[in-house]
Amino acid sequence: MSGYRVAVVGATGNVGREILNILAERQFPLAEVAAVASPRSTGDIIDFGDSGQELKVKNLEHFDFEGWDIALFAAGSEVSKIYVPKAAAAGCTVIDNSSLYRMDPDVPLIVPEVNAEAIDGYRAKNIIANPNCSTAQMVVALKPLHDAAKIKRVVVATYQSVSGAGKAGMDELFEQSRNIFVGDANEPVKFTKQIAFNVIPHIDSFLDDGSTKEEWKMVVETKKILDPSIKVTATCVRVPVFVGHSEAVNIEFENEISADEAREILREAPGIMLVDKREDGGYVTPVECVGEYATYVSRIREDSTVDNGLSIWVVSDNLRKGAALNAVQIAELLGRRHLQKAA
């Protein structure tokens, strides 16, 4: 049977499970798939999406990457630091979801709708990086507008769901919400402040200039993926939503572009679903994007405070486009452009 031997590392986590779901959903051409995780999950049985197939979790510490075509890593930077170089050295091409290799000049940082051709540089280290979830959905929306009118500056405020902080983040929102209703104590553990019925303007660690690492990632990754000349400033906020990141994006262009033109461009753009009616409910919220592949754009309007300005609202399932879907799309692109093992 033709197809790829694919290992999913971190298969028991939020993103790892989603990667398995999407590989099954999109009928990725597989000869074999392995669910790989830390020793504590070894031997667990997990579903391979809705395929009816079950996978027995293999121990990462003993897993031999030799003979495997692609490894999709979704286990965080600490695990990637140890095992990604091992997998790459064994001839297995790694698609890494952690932040570890994103800014490495020898590692392509890929969003297939935006910079597919950059994948050709993967051979330098046999590693391809998956961008930060909030960056991924934003550049999908920015790319066709940049092609049309050249973006000078982007100001973005994010409204990021707790699933971006893993299962512990989702559990904390659930527990705190319940505790508040019944009058129990709700001390924060995963987050720095109460997340239920609150918003927290702090994601990842603080840097010397007062920004957070999440904000820095959005700046440098957008430049690497889209165009180094674009100026970006971000404020990243955690909100009490389980799944789905939202972004209020203000864009300043070199050239003239109207809201109507932007709407026409985005309606045709790959990976985008335009839902923009100027009426009650004529926009998309995170609840509606869960489980969907698309990046949704709404609320397109002109900003008269700058020359050639637009404001847009961008929403996407962060576990999908922001992580798992993008990783699988990279694997599909790698297969088409380079590995060519599928019939």
Side-chain angles (χ1 to χ4, degrees), residues 7 9 65 68-74 80 83-98 101 107-108 122 125-130 327 330 334:
V9 178
F65 287 96
W68 291 83
D69 297 302
I70 301 170
L72 296 148
F73 270 73
S80 288
Y83 293 99
V84 164
K86 290 182 178 176
C92 175
T93 303
V94 174
I95 298 167
D96 185 31
N97 203 53
S98 83
Y101 292 100
V107 174
Y122 85 96
K125 287 195 172 169
N126 215 14
I127 300 167
I128 302 161
N130 206 16
I330 293 171
L334 179 70

Side-chain angles (χ1 to χ4, degrees), residues 113 132-141 159-161 163-164 241-247 271-273 284-298 313-326 329:
E113 296 93 335
N132 183 32
C133 46
S134 38
T135 307
Q137 70 186 65
M138 184 171 78
V139 295
V140 169
Y159 305 73
Q160 294 179 226
S161 66
S163 56
V241 168
F242 283 107
V243 179
H245 287 357
S246 308
E247 297 168 344
I272 294 283
M273 184 73 81
V284 171
T285 62
V287 168
E288 294 134 89
C289 78
V290 176
E292 299 294 333
Y293 286 149
T295 296
Y296 292 87
V297 179
S298 309
W313 174 251
V314 182
V315 179
S316 191
D317 180 331
N318 55 296
L319 298 179
R320 292 207 147 206
K321 186 57 195 171
L325 171 63
N326 202 67
Q329 286 176 309

Side-chain angles (χ1 to χ4, degrees), residues 87-159:
C92 175
T93 303
V94 174
I95 298 167
D96 185 31
N97 203 53
S98 83
S99 60
L100 190 64
Y101 292 100
R102 287 178 192 152
M103 297 316 295
D104 184 322
D106 291 330
V107 174
L109 180 65
I110 301 294
V111 177
E113 296 93 335
V114 178
N115 63 338
E117 63 298 329
I119 199 172
D120 298 347
Y122 85 96
R123 287 197 174 93
K125 287 195 172 169
N126 215 14
I127 300 167
I128 302 161
N130 206 16
N132 183 32
C133 46
S134 38
T135 307
Q137 70 186 65
M138 184 171 78
V139 295
V140 169
L142 293 181
K143 164 73 171 158
L145 299 175
H146 183 52
D147 288 347
K150 194 155 177 35
I151 295 171
K152 278 193 346 195
R153 178 171 182 252
V154 174
V155 180
V156 56
T158 69
Y159 305 73

